Amino acid sequence: MTYETTAGRLGADRYDPVREEGTAPPQSTVLISGASVAGPALAYWLGRYGYRTTVIEVAPALRSGGFAVDFRGAAHLAVLERMGVLDAIRRHRTGPGAPMSFIDGQGHELGTLPPEFAAGEVEILRSELSRLLHEHSLTPPDNGLVPGVTPEYLFGDSLTSLTETADGVHATFERGAPRTFDLVIGADGLHSSVRRLAFGPEERYVSHLGYYFAAWGLPAGAGDLATRPVGYGEPGRLATVGRLPRRAGEPGYAGEAFCVFAFEGELPYGRRDIRSQKQAIARAYEGAGWRIPELIDALWEADDLYLDSISRVDVPYWSTGRTVLLGDAAYGATLGGMGTGSAIVGAYVLAGELVLAGADHRTAFARYEQKLRPYVTRCQEGGRGAGEFFAPATQEAIDARNTALNTPALVTAMLEQGHDISAAITLEDYPSLVAAAAAGAGAVGVG
């Protein structure tokens, strides 16, 4: 599948160098939908550059629980370092991790997954990452040209319509009063409301890859279920359990569960109905061996749960008018596609291009897509086989996977390939470029 970037769609005569770099109006208003990872990261950068941002999130508060995400490669770490959050993320990392053993029904080891295979160079719970980014965005630094602008967060609300006008985007909300913004950013994930409202129905852009995955924290009653990190698999379904070393001393802490299972079509459950999600997972693991019945019993007691399809997002153009997509909303690959790192890098590039392009959002959006699309498309490819890797469809495929994991040269090659993909982008030093452009133009609105 091939795509024409926004820059190509505009044509060479419309994609010229920016005429007034470093002159973005300091009071530009931006609505960001989504407060998980990409949204707060973008809010930080835009606040640093003098933009007034509003972040809207359908959840009533920052989400808790969930699964671990990782960063790997020079590009991911460079952006986190420039944001000033890398040290905090390292302090809250899940590791040092231990290898996870794939086992049979009697608990005998069949293959071993090295900790760096899943955890990259630094791994953190998605909920803790979201909290760190949210807190960091609330204290954007004074960049020497303008004071940082603190974003506004609106929890427990969602968009109902977007209407572009001559000089902005009029937004209506489920609960709040209508407002008009200069720009709208969809950083609201696989099931993006912004993408649906501005680009069209989800089914045009999201391809289900035949698997679902789930993660939840084990309740205290789970006992020794997660004493050591193991994964038990049968054709088309895998369940893993383990404990984070950093949390080992917490009272009542019993570990986490992570599951991957095959399901063609749309799994029947409500995205805001945790009971129906638990029912769907329980049905998927009916009759499974090992200690799966105990795991499902623990699921019913869990108070946090994340469930979604393993899918890929492909949007031909990431922007339309004054609205643009970021992260999973534009280029998601829900498992194995380095989506968290790509979202962080994307927020950095989008903010940098916006401020360098001044009031010319069309040029900014074009440059953002032109620079990022080749990189994230390659990252997405890693997610295409994630379901088949974790939960192969046949016993023969399971055996072949375990054999590969017991072959050090193959494991090393897979790790090196992932590292090379994650690092395959040249990043501009946007803070320095913005400061230099502003100083050269005599501007006082950005930095």
Side-chain angles (χ1 to χ4, degrees), residues 13 251 385 400:
D13 60 323

Side-chain angles (χ1 to χ4, degrees), residues 96-301:
M100 188 189 75
S101 299
F102 288 104
I103 59 173
D104 63 17
Q106 289 71 49
H108 301 139
E109 185 175 296
L110 303 173
T112 303
L113 191 67
E116 61 270 24
F117 192 94
E121 287 165 76
V122 59
E123 182 186 67
I124 183 172
L125 284 176
R126 188 180 186 90
S127 56
E128 291 197 341
L129 175 64
S130 179
R131 178 183 59 80
L132 288 173
L133 294 175
H134 172 258
E135 292 174 354
H136 195 62
S137 73
L138 294 175
T139 55
D142 183 337
N143 55 40
L145 296 169
V146 292
V149 179
T150 301
E152 171 190 27
Y153 280 87
L154 302 176
F155 289 94
D157 206 349
S158 60
L159 284 163
T160 55
S161 72
L162 293 171
T163 304
E164 184 154 344
T165 65
D167 56 359
V169 182
H170 185 70
T172 62
F173 306 93
E174 187 175 338
R175 294 182 176 84
R179 294 165 65 175
T180 298
F181 299 87
D182 295 315
L183 302 172
V184 172
I185 317 294
D188 43 0
L190 182 71
H191 308 292
S192 170
S193 295
V194 170
R195 190 185 59 225
R196 173 175 52 82
L197 293 171
F199 293 77
E202 181 173 303
E203 54 267 26
R204 293 183 187 174
Y205 309 110
V206 180
S207 302
H208 176 47
L209 301 181
Y211 285 83
Y212 281 77
F213 74 108
W216 67 92
L218 295 173
D224 68 345
L225 189 59
T227 299
R228 66 187 182 109
V230 297
Y232 170 73
E234 298 175 350
R237 54 189 182 184
L238 168 79
T240 77
V241 290
R243 295 179 181 176
L244 304 179
R246 187 174 59 80
R247 299 186 59 192
E250 294 181 16
Y253 174 67
E256 285 81 27
F258 179 79
C259 296
V260 177
F261 57 93
F263 192 91
E264 293 296 335
E266 186 173 350
L267 190 68
Y269 69 93
R271 285 207 294 270
R272 301 188 191 182
D273 182 354
I274 191 171
R275 179 169 179 79
S276 73
Q277 294 172 20
K278 291 178 178 180
Q279 290 171 335
I281 296 168
R283 286 193 296 268
Y285 285 86
E286 286 179 351
W290 187 57
R291 300 177 66 180
I292 299 301
E294 295 176 55
L295 183 62
I296 297 303
D297 287 344
L299 169 64
W300 291 114
E301 299 177 35

Side-chain angles (χ1 to χ4, degrees), residues 6-25:
T6 304
R9 178 174 47 140
L10 291 175
D13 60 323
R14 300 294 299 278
Y15 189 60
D16 295 330
V18 183
R19 294 185 299 275
E20 298 179 53
E21 292 190 342
T23 59

Side-chain angles (χ1 to χ4, degrees), residues 194-417:
V194 170
R195 190 185 59 225
R196 173 175 52 82
L197 293 171
F199 293 77
E202 181 173 303
E203 54 267 26
R204 293 183 187 174
Y205 309 110
V206 180
S207 302
H208 176 47
L209 301 181
Y211 285 83
Y212 281 77
F213 74 108
W216 67 92
L218 295 173
D224 68 345
L225 189 59
T227 299
R228 66 187 182 109
V230 297
Y232 170 73
E234 298 175 350
R237 54 189 182 184
L238 168 79
T240 77
V241 290
R243 295 179 181 176
L244 304 179
R246 187 174 59 80
R247 299 186 59 192
E250 294 181 16
Y253 174 67
E256 285 81 27
F258 179 79
C259 296
V260 177
F261 57 93
F263 192 91
E264 293 296 335
E266 186 173 350
L267 190 68
Y269 69 93
R271 285 207 294 270
R272 301 188 191 182
D273 182 354
I274 191 171
R275 179 169 179 79
S276 73
Q277 294 172 20
K278 291 178 178 180
Q279 290 171 335
I281 296 168
R283 286 193 296 268
Y285 285 86
E286 286 179 351
W290 187 57
R291 300 177 66 180
I292 299 301
E294 295 176 55
L295 183 62
I296 297 303
D297 287 344
L299 169 64
W300 291 114
E301 299 177 35
D303 56 9
D304 67 297
L305 174 64
Y306 185 95
L307 171 66
D308 210 336
S309 63
I310 297 181
S311 297
R312 172 172 169 148
V313 178
D314 293 288
V315 184
Y317 310 119
W318 293 351
S319 64
T320 176
R322 292 175 174 269
T323 300
V324 68
L325 302 176
L326 170 66
D328 283 352
Y331 41 84
T334 37
L335 190 63
M338 303 183 196
T340 304
S342 294
I344 291 288
V345 172
Y348 172 74
V349 174
L350 176 57
E353 293 299 336
L354 274 171
V355 71
L356 287 179
D360 188 354
H361 63 275
R362 290 172 65 85
T363 293
F365 292 167
R367 286 184 166 183
Y368 153 69
E369 183 172 346
Q370 184 185 56
K371 292 183 176 182
L372 203 66
R373 185 184 280 277
Y375 171 69
V376 299
T377 299
R378 191 177 177 198
C379 290
Q380 281 180 299
E381 289 302 312
R384 187 172 295 280
E388 291 89 342
F389 175 82
F390 284 108
T394 67
Q395 186 59 49
E396 291 77 13
I398 292 175
D399 295 340
R401 189 269 318 275
N402 293 340
T403 298
L405 290 177
N406 290 324
T407 307
L410 289 177
V411 173
T412 299
M414 287 189 285
L415 290 171
E416 290 178 348
Q417 181 184 41

